[in-house]
Amino acid sequence: MDMPNAAPGRAEQLALLTQTAPDTEMGRLLRRFWHPVALSSDVLPGHAVPVEALGETFTLFRGESGTPYLVGGRCRHRQTLLHTGWVQGEKIRCIYHGWQFDGSGRCVQRPAEKEARVPPGCRIPGHPVHEYCGMVFAYLGEGEAPAFELPRKDVFEVPGVLIAVTKETWRINWFQQIENSLDAVHVSFVHQALRVGPFGDAVTTMMPDLSYVENEAGIEQIAVRAHDNVRKSDWTFPNNNHVVVPGLRKGDPWIDFGIWMVPQDDEHSTRFTIYAMAPADDDANERFRAYFREFGGYNADEHYDELFHQRKAPPEEDFLAGLISAQDYVAQRGQGVVADRRLEMLGKSDLGVVTLRRVFWRELDALREGRPTKHWRKRAEPLSLPMQPGRQRDDSPASTAATAS
């Protein structure tokens, strides 16, 4: 098993997992993949916003046509923040001296220079983007971007599917969130904390038998708590997890939950989430929309004092997304901003964490040694994610939360 200080260089090996700036090994590895960087609703046509990801600052702007573009965060001229300028057509103009850039990062005009042609070397970085299910994904690496296939899930693309997307930025290193996804045991404890919601109720407190299988897309996690209580997680390299959670009311379809943990820098990360519900009757559909209209903006990091010092959960009506987030936040933020893994003592039940680290170290070794990394690709056959029986619930979500608390 994974033991602290088991060999020389252990501290350095552990540190590799948490460092994501452009000049780090993990930073170079992550830049080979597509990552969500914003919600589509974050930027309207004709507007620009700053984006922080993988230790860098970018400018996300949406042209007047509605097309999104991602370019460097600062103007090539005097390095002022570019998002403070103006979007004109499909280009953005700097507020300071009017230098104008297109969506590829090429400078197309420097008004005060009064030149016939802008030198070709005058440019800022430009990155490919792809909108998917209400999120803006970006490829932040060099060279041609891979096909946008690995992040896709068939359940998010079912005709008529209802989609809600959220994001939360936490003061925590990204890898703590990644490890949490491959830790099936935590569900039996963490999601019983603060207040037991439908998710904690469904999985129950039983201890699981665990198995982990690497596949072409990532790692399949199976936790067997009973013959009729089997939970699976479809984790996709390098930072996405896909599970199912109970519907908003007994009888509503269970919800497919996809979550990406994207490093903002080494001390902050953003959780981008997709909630997808298969179309149901009008009441269930409106219940889904209304819930996320009211509670989709919850950010656990903004409630640090309430959660840690008052043990105060989100409102009882927020019994799914906000409650799950708050429970996970308390456990992960409780490890510190960057967990000191040198001090941990792992056991057999940490097989998922050990498996995850070994996969990343293998990929980092290949990258360092100039060997090809694994060709990660979308699963050929979608994984079926079973529902857990849990305990019987009342038809009323509010009364369920009150009874369980």
Side-chain angles (χ1 to χ4, degrees):
M1 301 303 290
D2 194 38
M3 297 295 290
N5 300 319
R10 185 62 173 169
E12 290 79 5
Q13 189 182 33
L14 289 167
L16 291 176
L17 302 172
T18 65
Q19 300 166 350
T20 62
D23 59 347
T24 65
E25 293 183 9
M26 184 66 82
R28 291 193 291 273
L29 178 64
L30 292 178
R31 282 167 175 77
R32 296 183 168 207
F33 299 87
W34 289 92
H35 300 279
V37 295
L39 303 184
S40 294
S41 59
D42 287 340
V43 59
L44 300 174
H47 292 265
V49 295
V51 165
E52 294 184 17
L54 301 181
E56 297 185 85
T57 299
F58 304 93
T59 301
L60 174 65
F61 72 96
R62 196 180 288 278
E64 293 177 1
S65 69
T67 303
Y69 305 94
L70 189 73
V71 296
R74 297 181 181 275
C75 179
R76 183 70 176 84
H77 182 207
R78 299 282 298 280
Q79 296 296 298
T80 201
L81 289 169
L82 192 56
H83 77 274
T84 59
W86 303 273
V87 175
Q88 300 171 328
E90 304 303 296
K91 303 178 181 64
I92 187 167
R93 188 180 297 279
C94 179
I95 192 175
Y96 208 176
H97 300 93
W99 287 27
Q100 190 180 54
F101 300 86
D102 66 17
S104 73
R106 181 174 62 96
C107 184
V108 295
Q109 189 181 67
R110 304 190 298 179
E113 300 304 311
K114 301 178 180 179
E115 57 198 355
R117 178 174 175 270
V118 177
C122 183
R123 60 178 305 118
I124 56 178
H127 299 278
V129 295
H130 186 97
E131 285 197 89
Y132 181 69
C133 292
M135 293 182 178
V136 179
F137 285 74
Y139 176 72
L140 303 178
E142 299 179 356
E144 184 177 355
F148 190 84
E149 286 294 324
L150 189 60
R152 296 176 57 189
K153 300 289 182 184
D154 291 357
V155 292
F156 300 154
E157 302 173 15
V158 172
V161 65
L162 281 74
I163 296 284
V165 292
T166 72
K167 72 173 185 179
E168 300 175 67
T169 297
W170 292 358
R171 186 166 180 252
I172 185 177
N173 183 267
W174 78 292
F175 209 76
Q176 281 151 248
Q177 300 201 54
I178 296 295
E179 289 178 325
N180 187 72
S181 292
L182 272 295
D183 176 5
V185 174
H186 92 272
V187 179
S188 295
F189 294 93
V190 171
H191 297 293
Q192 308 296 316
L194 298 174
R195 181 177 73 239
V196 182
F199 179 49
D201 172 77
V203 177
T204 78
T205 60
M206 296 176 66
M207 294 300 99
D209 293 324
L210 305 172
S211 67
Y212 295 85
V213 180
E214 184 176 341
N215 54 57
E216 68 269 36
I219 300 171
E220 180 178 327
Q221 174 177 242
I222 304 176
V224 180
R225 290 177 167 83
H227 74 278
D228 62 346
N229 189 338
V230 179
R231 181 166 178 78
K232 295 184 180 181
S233 303
D234 188 15
W235 185 82
T236 300
F237 195 88
N239 57 346
N240 168 251
N241 199 29
H242 173 208
V243 298
V244 291
V245 296
L248 297 176
R249 184 171 293 184
K250 184 180 178 181
D252 287 359
W254 276 46
I255 297 170
D256 283 275
F257 174 47
I259 180 168
W260 285 260
M261 291 76 164
V262 181
Q264 189 177 91
D265 54 40
D266 291 349
E267 293 190 350
H268 301 82
S269 54
T270 303
R271 288 165 56 105
F272 289 93
T273 59
I274 294 177
Y275 295 86
M277 188 184 81
D281 59 53
D282 290 345
D283 287 344
N285 292 346
E286 179 53 31
R287 199 156 37 242
F288 179 91
R289 297 187 186 98
Y291 174 84
F292 284 100
R293 276 198 303 268
E294 184 168 1
F295 300 113
Y298 182 83
N299 184 352
D301 200 65
E302 297 173 355
H303 301 273
Y304 179 92
D305 287 337
E306 293 176 12
L307 293 170
F308 276 89
H309 301 143
Q310 302 173 37
R311 302 293 289 166
K312 181 179 178 182
E316 290 187 352
E317 296 79 11
D318 189 1
F319 53 87
L320 184 66
L323 180 59
I324 291 174
S325 173
Q327 292 166 330
D328 278 331
Y329 177 78
V330 171
Q332 296 169 41
R333 182 65 172 83
Q335 295 177 290
V337 174
V338 182
D340 191 345
R341 292 171 177 80
R342 299 171 302 168
L343 305 178
E344 66 192 9
M345 182 178 181
L346 301 186
K348 293 179 180 179
S349 63
D350 296 300
L351 178 60
V353 172
V354 174
T355 301
L356 179 75
R357 293 179 187 179
R358 286 175 177 167
V359 167
F360 270 100
W361 282 327
R362 181 194 71 202
E363 298 296 279
L364 291 172
D365 286 345
L367 191 66
R368 185 186 316 115
E369 296 165 8
R371 295 183 285 108
T373 56
K374 179 172 177 173
H375 174 55
W376 300 96
R377 60 195 186 280
K378 186 176 182 284
R379 289 186 67 136
E381 295 293 331
L383 177 64
S384 176
L385 301 178
M387 297 179 290
Q388 294 75 55
R391 297 178 290 272
Q392 292 298 316
R393 289 189 285 132
D394 186 278
D395 283 351
S396 167
S399 65
T400 297
T403 301
S405 62

